[in-house]
Amino acid sequence: MISSPHRPTVIHVDLEAITYNIHQVQSSLNKKTKTFAVVKANAYGHGAVAVSRAIESQVDGFCVSNLDEALELREAGIKKSILVLGVLMPEEINLALEHDICLTIASLEWLDLAERKGIDLTGLSVHLKVDSGMGRIGFRTANDVNQALAILEDKAALVEGIFTHFATADEASKEYFDTQLSRFKTILTGLDWVPEMIHASNSATSLWHKDTVFNAVRLGLVIYGLNPSGTILELPYDLKPALSLESELVHVKVLSEGEAVGYGASYRTTEEEVIGTIPIGYADGWTRDMQGFCVLVDGESCPIVGRVSMDQITVSLPKVYPLGTKVTLIGTNKEKVISATAIAEKRGTINYEVLCLLSDRIPRDYL
Ligand SMILES: *Cc1c(COP(=O)(O)O)cnc(C)c1O
C-alpha cells in the first residue's frame, strides 16, 4: 500500500524511547547477555529500517520473521547478525547465504528435503529451534536435535545457537512456563554438544523470568515500550511507549437533532451536536470495532460516533474547533493518554495486534 504523506494522519516514532527501553532491559540483566532486537513485521509497525539503524550499536543482532524482512535490513546497510525466526523453504537459502543471514532449522524433515533437493548448506549459519511446548515449529527430543547437529556438521553448516519460545511467559501462573523450561533443559542436557548461543527469552520472559535467560534475549514488544501482558502483570521498571498516532480535524459541522452519521445511518444525534471528521479508517488499521472508543482533541476525550469507514471516522466534539486542530488517536494530548493497550482492551485483542495492524498508508515520522 502506498504511504499517504499528504494527509495529516501520521505515526510519530520516538527512537530515543526505544533506545531507553533497550537500556532499561539491559541494565536489569547480566552484562554478558547478548541482545537481539526483534524487528519483524516492520518493527511492530514502527519501521524496521529506521529502528534497526537507530539501535544497531546498542544490540548484538536482530530477529525477523522471514527472509524478505532480513533482506530489507541488509539492503538498508544493517551489518549485524540477522536471525530469521520462521522456517524458510530450502530452495530460498542461497539468498540467505549471499547476504549472511542466519536461519532457524526446526525439523529433520526440512534437512531431509534440503538433501533431496541437492541444496548445499556449506557455510550457512543456523540456530536450532526446540519446541518445548509452543507446538508450532521445532525439534521435540534431544535425539532429533543430535541427529540435526550431526547432519549440519557433516554439511559444513555453522550451528551458532539453539533456542526455544515460551507460550505463557506473560501470564501470572508459572506452571506451564516451568513445564516448558524443564523440557528445554532436559533437551540441552541430552545433547552431544551444545551450540554457543542459548536463548529462550522474549520480552515477557526477560521482564518476569529473569532467572531463565540463558545467554541471549530476543526483545520485541518491550523495546517499543509496551507491556506484553497488557494489564495483567506490572512492569518491573519504567518503559516509554515509542509510537503515537495523530491526525487533524479536516471537517467540522454542527448537526441538528435527529441527523444521521455514517454508513447504515446507525448513529442519530439526540440534540444539536458538533461532529468532526478525521481522515483515518479501517484501511489504516483503525478497525470498525473502534466505534464507541474515543480520540483526544484539545485534552478532551471525544467519542467515535457512527461507523468507522475505510478512510474516515466521525467524532462527537464538545464544541466547534478550527480545521487542522490536532487529534491524538494513540499517545498524549494535554496530559490525557490513549495507549495501544487500552485500544486492545476495547477490541478484545492484544496491544501487539493494534500496532501491527497500523497500515503502510500511514507515514512514519521519526523524532
Ligand atoms: C516475536 C518473537 C519474539 C519477540 O516476542 P515479544 O513478545 O515481542 O518480545 C521472540 N521470539 C520469537 C520466536 C518470536 O516469534
Side-chain angles (χ1 to χ4, degrees), residues 38 40 44 85 129 136 163-165 201-204 218-222 228 352:
V38 181
K40 62 192 180 191
Y44 297 38
L85 296 169
K129 177 72 181 280
R136 300 192 304 198
F163 70 109
T164 195
H165 193 45
S201 298
N202 57 357
S203 296
R218 306 183 302 272
L219 305 178
L221 194 75
V222 71
Y352 291 76

Side-chain angles (χ1 to χ4, degrees), residues 67-144:
L67 184 58
D68 298 285
E69 292 179 347
L71 294 174
E72 181 189 27
L73 297 188
R74 283 285 182 254
E75 270 154 32
I78 296 296
K79 299 274 183 300
K80 286 210 168 141
S81 143
I82 304 175
L83 170 64
V84 175
L85 296 169
V87 177
L88 214 70
M89 293 317 277
E91 48 274 43
E92 306 285 353
I93 73 165
N94 278 340
L95 269 173
L97 271 166
E98 201 179 308
H99 294 275
D100 191 22
I101 290 160
C102 189
L103 301 186
T104 293
I105 305 290
S107 69
L108 290 171
E109 290 75 9
W110 189 97
L111 289 167
D112 183 48
L113 185 63
E115 168 80 27
R116 281 187 283 119
K117 293 193 177 230
I119 288 167
D120 185 6
L121 304 182
T122 309
L124 184 71
S125 301
V126 303
H127 287 221
L128 300 182
K129 177 72 181 280
V130 170
D131 176 13
S132 57
M134 183 69 138
R136 300 192 304 198
I137 60 171
F139 298 96
R140 290 185 69 105
T141 65
N143 189 28
D144 283 359

Side-chain angles (χ1 to χ4, degrees), residues 25 28-29 33 132 134 164-171 174 176-178 180-181 184 198-222 226-229 233 235-237 352:
V25 186
S28 78
L29 301 174
T33 309
S132 57
M134 183 69 138
T164 195
H165 193 45
F166 292 109
T168 60
D170 56 350
E171 293 180 9
K174 279 195 73 192
Y176 195 67
F177 181 91
D178 289 336
Q180 281 197 262
L181 181 60
F184 185 50
I198 307 173
H199 47 114
S201 298
N202 57 357
S203 296
T205 310
S206 310
L207 286 164
W208 296 298
H209 302 270
K210 273 195 300 182
D211 44 330
T212 304
V213 168
F214 290 84
N215 57 25
V217 290
R218 306 183 302 272
L219 305 178
L221 194 75
V222 71
L226 294 182
N227 183 330
S229 79
L233 302 175
L235 291 172
Y237 37 80
Y352 291 76

Side-chain angles (χ1 to χ4, degrees), residues 257-275:
E257 184 195 327
E259 291 291 338
V261 178
Y263 280 110
S266 63
Y267 182 78
R268 299 274 172 169
T269 57
T270 54
E271 55 186 346
E272 197 175 81
E273 190 168 338
V274 186
I275 299 292

Side-chain angles (χ1 to χ4, degrees), residues 21-42:
N21 296 330
I22 296 173
H23 178 77
Q24 287 291 84
V25 186
Q26 286 174 335
S27 322
S28 78
L29 301 174
N30 182 319
K31 287 208 173 13
K32 288 188 191 141
T33 309
K34 290 208 180 336
T35 306
F36 279 88
V38 181
V39 294
K40 62 192 180 191
N42 203 25

